[in-house]
Amino acid sequence: MYFLTAQDPNYIVKGSRDPLGFQVLWQSVGRQLIPNLSTVSSSIIDFQIMCIASYYKHTYNLEESRYRLLFSRLEILMAFARFAKDSTLGFNGVDKIRKLYQESNKELIIADDMQILSNQRAYGIWGKYNRPFQDCGILEYKGLYALIEDKIKTVPQFKNTMERLLNHTEGKNIHLTKEQLFNISNIIEKPQEEEHDLFVNTLLKDNCDNALQSELARNKELTKEHLFGFINEMQQNSSHDSLKAMLDKIKRTEQILCPLNRVFRHLQTKVEWKKTDLVSDSAFVGLNRDIDATGLDVKIQELYHILKMPNVELVEGLAKRNAEVSQSRRSAPWIKMNDDRLEVNHHEGGYPLREFNGEEQYDNSYFLYSYLHIHKQLY
């Protein structure tokens, strides 16, 4: 007799972009160079909006509920203003803003029940920028609020609109013309003078005596390189030993993590693999298994040991790693090795491994791209 029951939620395979638990590993290494930025905190405009919101919270001594309401209104206001200024700019919620803006003839509406994202608090500016905003030390910057106040005074349209947002009756709509929104966008012009110094001194900090910032100031063309190209050029140009050593650590870490991740994704392209097929699979031929792991974190060295193994043992090592990660998440493993074959239970994210080049291909940014993107916006 059979009984049909619902699937045990603790046993089904749960979707994840990180089946081997590599994210925490590369982030730990990246933090040793760039301490405060995240992979999604790369917009100076969003940091400017955080500064403005903090100024109003401090100046008007806003309690949390009122501050949340103001922040939501401000985020929507600035989304409309950004689009009015430059419709090619990308930002969180731009698709919804574009639709509303293009459907309106003259006026746009800001409503308290308005959401430009499925969860504006989590996926918008607050969710992505609050932590790096706090960690970078912007709030401790001497003269921050005086700086923001002086800036607001230079944009009367923005100042007047913020008074409306502060004092407007909750639940009522606020109407603004496209011309007003265009004028408001002047509040987020490229930072100059003291505001520029504020962001340089807080966002572009590194743990190598700010040598990364100094090198980029001397050679801005370096920001155009891909990850390994950037690291190689920086090492050749820099005379700062600790910076060169840290960049070398990042490169060697990625040269271990990336091929292992690519092999795992390659394994996901089939329902099962016989061990004999793994031995002869040409996709493994191009892997660079000769990396100097000296001085790397212990867990990275353990993964390098897996990378150096023959094909079957390498796959067994990945299966074991995936099982451990899945167990910690209370879900089923994506792949499972049996006596003579590998079973693949989850295929999302799988893609074939072809002509892997360990000197060029990478998967993780180590926060360098956020850093470089901010640098480009400031200089």
Side-chain angles (χ1 to χ4, degrees):
M1 182 176 295
Y2 298 94
F3 297 92
L4 298 178
T5 61
Q7 283 186 302
D8 183 346
N10 291 325
Y11 189 71
I12 61 174
V13 173
K14 296 180 175 70
S16 172
R17 299 177 182 177
D18 188 26
L20 297 171
F22 284 177
Q23 180 172 316
V24 68
L25 299 180
W26 73 256
Q27 287 186 345
S28 176
V29 175
R31 282 276 173 256
Q32 294 173 41
L33 176 60
I34 299 173
N36 300 317
L37 296 177
S38 71
T39 56
V40 293
S41 60
S42 58
S43 168
I44 285 296
I45 291 177
D46 288 330
F47 277 113
Q48 288 176 310
I49 293 171
M50 287 295 300
C51 287
I52 291 167
S54 179
Y55 163 80
Y56 278 98
K57 180 180 182 181
H58 170 80
T59 302
Y60 292 88
N61 194 27
L62 300 179
E63 61 182 24
E64 188 61 28
S65 60
R66 193 177 175 202
Y67 177 57
R68 284 195 177 208
L69 179 60
L70 178 67
F71 195 99
S72 177
R73 290 173 173 178
L74 173 62
E75 183 170 8
I76 295 170
L77 169 68
M78 296 316 301
F80 279 131
R82 291 162 93 159
F83 193 85
K85 187 76 168 181
D86 186 351
S87 61
T88 66
L89 288 178
F91 54 87
N92 295 322
V94 66
D95 293 335
K96 179 68 175 291
I97 292 297
R98 179 184 295 108
K99 182 175 183 295
L100 294 172
Y101 194 91
Q102 292 176 345
E103 289 177 350
S104 172
N105 292 325
K106 292 183 179 180
E107 288 190 334
L108 281 304
I109 296 173
I110 298 177
D112 289 337
D113 60 353
M114 188 175 176
Q115 291 277 319
I116 59 175
L117 295 159
S118 59
N119 186 329
Q120 191 168 321
R121 182 78 171 174
Y123 304 135
I125 296 174
W126 178 267
K128 293 186 175 182
Y129 283 81
N130 184 51
R131 179 64 183 272
F133 179 75
Q134 301 273 350
D135 292 346
C136 286
I138 292 176
L139 288 175
E140 286 75 46
Y141 194 83
K142 186 178 180 180
L144 170 65
Y145 295 130
L147 167 63
I148 301 302
E149 183 173 10
D150 289 343
K151 182 182 178 182
I152 290 172
K153 289 177 181 178
T154 67
V155 189
Q157 189 73 70
F158 177 79
K159 185 176 185 296
N160 294 337
T161 303
M162 285 302 295
E163 291 294 331
R164 292 175 62 189
L165 296 185
L166 272 167
N167 301 316
H168 199 72
T169 303
E170 187 172 352
K172 298 287 186 177
N173 294 341
I174 298 172
H175 297 257
L176 292 163
T177 67
K178 293 182 178 181
E179 182 180 2
Q180 288 174 321
L181 290 166
F182 182 85
N183 292 332
I184 286 169
S185 68
N186 290 325
I187 199 71
I188 49 172
E189 288 288 342
K190 182 177 179 179
Q192 301 293 331
E193 299 178 347
E194 191 176 354
E195 186 185 17
H196 173 269
D197 294 341
L198 160 68
F199 289 127
V200 168
N201 292 329
T202 55
L203 301 182
L204 295 184
K205 290 187 296 188
D206 64 55
N207 287 329
C208 293
D209 303 318
N210 290 340
L212 186 59
Q213 181 186 150
S214 299
E215 293 298 334
L216 288 173
R218 284 193 287 270
N219 190 351
K220 296 177 184 178
E221 293 300 312
L222 285 174
T223 62
K224 298 180 181 179
E225 295 284 356
H226 64 80
L227 181 66
F228 289 157
F230 171 79
I231 289 175
N232 293 339
E233 288 290 322
M234 185 65 75
Q235 288 178 311
Q236 291 176 16
N237 285 277
S238 178
S239 59
H240 198 283
D241 290 338
S242 64
L243 174 62
K244 293 196 290 186
M246 191 63 246
L247 290 170
D248 180 63
K249 183 176 183 179
I250 287 174
K251 180 178 180 180
R252 290 185 291 129
T253 296
E254 186 59 12
Q255 287 180 323
I256 294 170
L257 296 184
C258 181
L260 289 175
N261 180 59
R262 299 290 178 96
V263 168
F264 188 90
R265 298 303 185 180
H266 178 67
L267 296 173
Q268 289 182 276
T269 60
K270 295 173 64 173
V271 175
E272 67 174 22
W273 295 78
K274 294 181 180 179
K275 285 186 177 181
T276 53
D277 294 334
L278 293 172
V279 171
S280 59
D281 191 349
S282 60
F284 290 77
V285 173
L287 297 180
N288 178 13
R289 309 193 197 206
D290 187 21
I291 310 296
D292 180 10
T294 305
L296 298 184
D297 296 355
V298 173
K299 290 187 181 297
I300 304 298
Q301 294 190 31
E302 292 173 354
L303 290 166
Y304 177 57
H305 179 68
I306 295 175
L307 179 63
K308 288 180 64 70
M309 290 179 175
N311 293 2
V312 173
E313 287 81 358
L314 187 159
V315 172
E316 288 175 338
L318 289 180
K320 181 180 178 182
R321 172 78 185 182
N322 174 242
E324 292 170 350
V325 171
S326 299
Q327 183 178 23
S328 69
R329 297 171 180 166
R330 300 193 177 189
S331 63
W334 294 27
I335 62 176
K336 183 178 181 181
M337 184 68 82
N338 292 319
D339 292 337
D340 63 341
R341 69 191 64 229
L342 176 80
E343 296 178 0
V344 180
N345 301 317
H346 190 59
H347 302 272
E348 182 181 349
Y351 53 87
L353 177 63
R354 298 191 182 98
E355 299 181 357
F356 181 78
N357 186 336
E359 288 297 319
E360 294 184 359
Q361 292 175 275
Y362 58 92
D363 293 327
N364 306 298
S365 70
Y366 299 81
F367 309 110
L368 281 166
Y369 279 178
S370 292
Y371 186 100
L372 294 177
H373 194 57
I374 286 176
H375 188 278
K376 289 179 184 179
Q377 294 168 77
L378 289 172
Y379 288 98

